[in-house]
Amino acid sequence: MARCTNCNYKWKAKEILSLGFSKNGKNCPNCGERQYISIKTQKLFTLGYLSLIFVPFLLFSIKLSNKDERLFE
């Protein structure tokens, strides 16, 4: 599961899903540091949307970043 890059808080699946739909990142529920989905995970999501079978497995491979990394600008 994804962890905050600042305080190492383990994010819940519901929090990760809401982060996935947020364009501006989301604050960590524990420390308040803004977190974004990493560029590597964004690429995995793009592949996962092609086949919805893989989406549940992607929840365990999500990495967070403290920088706003955009896959498509």
Side-chain angles (χ1 to χ4, degrees):
M1 246 348 145
R3 293 186 177 271
C4 174
T5 58
N6 186 45
C7 68
N8 211 26
Y9 170 77
K10 187 176 180 181
W11 286 53
K12 296 177 178 82
K14 184 178 177 181
E15 295 166 338
I16 294 169
L17 288 175
S18 68
L19 177 63
F21 292 106
S22 171
K23 292 185 178 184
N24 297 323
K26 189 173 177 183
N27 291 335
C28 173
N30 189 46
C31 70
E33 177 85 16
R34 175 102 26 211
Q35 297 291 295
Y36 305 90
I37 293 181
S38 71
I39 191 81
K40 184 177 180 179
T41 301
Q42 289 178 40
K43 289 178 184 177
L44 281 175
F45 268 0
T46 303
L47 294 174
Y49 289 137
L50 297 176
S51 174
L52 294 177
I53 296 171
F54 295 111
V55 171
F57 299 108
L58 291 176
L59 288 176
F60 296 102
S61 63
I62 292 175
K63 302 282 187 241
L64 299 180
S65 171
N66 57 354
K67 299 175 191 168
D68 186 9
E69 304 170 325
R70 304 275 175 149
L71 184 58
F72 302 108
E73 292 190 34

